[in-house]
Amino acid sequence: AAGVIQSPRHLIKEKRETATLKCYPIPRHDTVYWYQQGPGQDPQFLISFYEKMQSDKGSIPDRFSAQQFSDYHSELNMSSLELGDSALYFCASSRSVVLGAGNTIYFGEGSWLTVV
Amino acid sequence: AQSVTQLGSHVSVSEGALVLLRCNYSSSVPPYLFWYVQYPNQGLQLLLKYTTGATLVKGINGFEAEFKKSETSFHLTKPSAHMSDAAEYFCAVRGSNTGKLIFGQGTTLQVKP
């Protein structure tokens, strides 16, 4: 079965640079979520989109932005990168949990961002 | 507001022994509860979930968990540990109308031969 696809899997950037992560949800999933997992930490919710509209917002820095496109893929844009942004970034997808409360959220393999 | 507490950041068991990973939650709304497993350098894989209905839920790889509302707990168990179970385990909670998962701090399971 198709899973959540994230690219790139690994990314190395210098401080103050910009990075873009991409996420392709499971087919027919209309909701996308972004999480950040620092080294040895639990995943922290950043932001989510349902039908291309922001549906929830967590601890996403102002330097970060995200959007969901008409084909439901999503991109997380990170600017003015800091050393502390080094983390594993997960994208997840699901069918609407508003329309189907029990819908399962599936995670991608993650994108490793290293800021040097 | 919701939160999750996983008791024990590291659990070590012998192969073939019972696995018990503890999770307690706090939620102002009826909780939906999840256990995810993360193998080294990999993503999060859903082991099992509780939404509504039967409070004892069975998941993949022989794991199960029981939702106990009176104890606000959702402990994960497996009767007999296998070496391949060594991984990081995360308990998570969300409300019924949101996909925002709140994760616990994680428990590293070590399985000794």
Side-chain angles (χ1 to χ4, degrees):
Chain A
V4 178
I5 306 298
Q6 292 187 243
S7 68
R9 293 295 313 279
H10 296 85
L11 190 61
I12 300 175
K13 290 286 186 178
E14 294 188 355
K15 285 191 301 183
R16 293 180 289 279
E17 283 192 320
T18 297
T20 298
L21 305 181
K22 295 184 178 183
C23 170
Y24 297 87
I26 293 171
R28 293 185 298 281
H29 281 192
D30 49 25
T31 307
V32 170
Y33 313 84
W34 286 98
Y35 287 81
Q36 178 191 57
Q37 185 180 28
Q41 305 289 315
D42 55 287
Q44 295 291 316
F45 173 77
L46 293 178
I47 196 167
S48 64
F49 293 88
Y50 166 63
E51 285 290 347
K52 292 148 280 185
M53 299 288 289
Q54 181 180 308
S55 55
D56 210 342
K57 190 173 182 180
S59 52
I60 184 169
D62 292 340
R63 300 177 289 107
F64 292 10
S65 65
Q67 59 181 323
Q68 185 180 31
F69 294 86
S70 57
D71 63 351
Y72 295 101
H73 94 273
S74 178
E75 294 183 5
L76 177 66
N77 298 292
M78 299 173 284
S79 61
S80 302
L81 287 169
E82 301 173 356
L83 296 178
D85 296 328
S86 295
L88 180 60
Y89 290 83
F90 284 113
C91 177
S93 77
S94 72
R95 294 186 182 182
S96 169
V97 296
V98 175
L99 298 178
N103 286 334
T104 298
I105 298 171
Y106 296 92
F107 283 78
E109 292 288 307
S111 292
W112 283 98
L113 171 66
T114 302
V115 181
V116 297
Chain B
Q2 296 173 310
S3 66
V4 173
T5 301
Q6 292 182 236
L7 301 176
S9 59
H10 288 84
V11 170
S12 181
V13 301
S14 297
E15 191 174 20
L18 171 71
V19 175
L20 171 60
L21 305 183
R22 300 178 185 273
C23 171
N24 287 89
Y25 70 91
S26 173
S27 180
S28 56
V29 297
Y32 283 21
L33 295 156
F34 307 82
W35 276 99
Y36 283 87
V37 61
Q38 184 177 30
Y39 297 99
N41 301 316
Q42 293 191 26
L44 294 163
Q45 182 182 8
L46 180 67
L47 277 178
L48 49 77
K49 67 178 182 180
Y50 168 79
T51 54
T52 58
T55 56
L56 180 63
V57 293
K58 296 184 184 297
I60 61 172
N61 302 337
F63 285 94
E64 63 180 40
E66 185 171 11
F67 169 60
K68 292 187 176 180
K69 184 177 179 180
S70 61
E71 299 178 6
T72 61
S73 68
F74 190 59
H75 301 330
L76 182 70
T77 61
K78 181 175 181 177
S80 177
H82 193 273
M83 296 297 291
S84 62
D85 294 327
E88 187 82 9
Y89 291 79
F90 290 98
C91 182
V93 65
R94 68 172 175 86
S96 62
N97 63 350
T98 174
K100 177 182 177 180
L101 287 164
I102 306 298
F103 286 87
Q105 305 91 324
T107 298
T108 302
L109 176 64
Q110 180 188 25
V111 182
K112 298 177 291 186

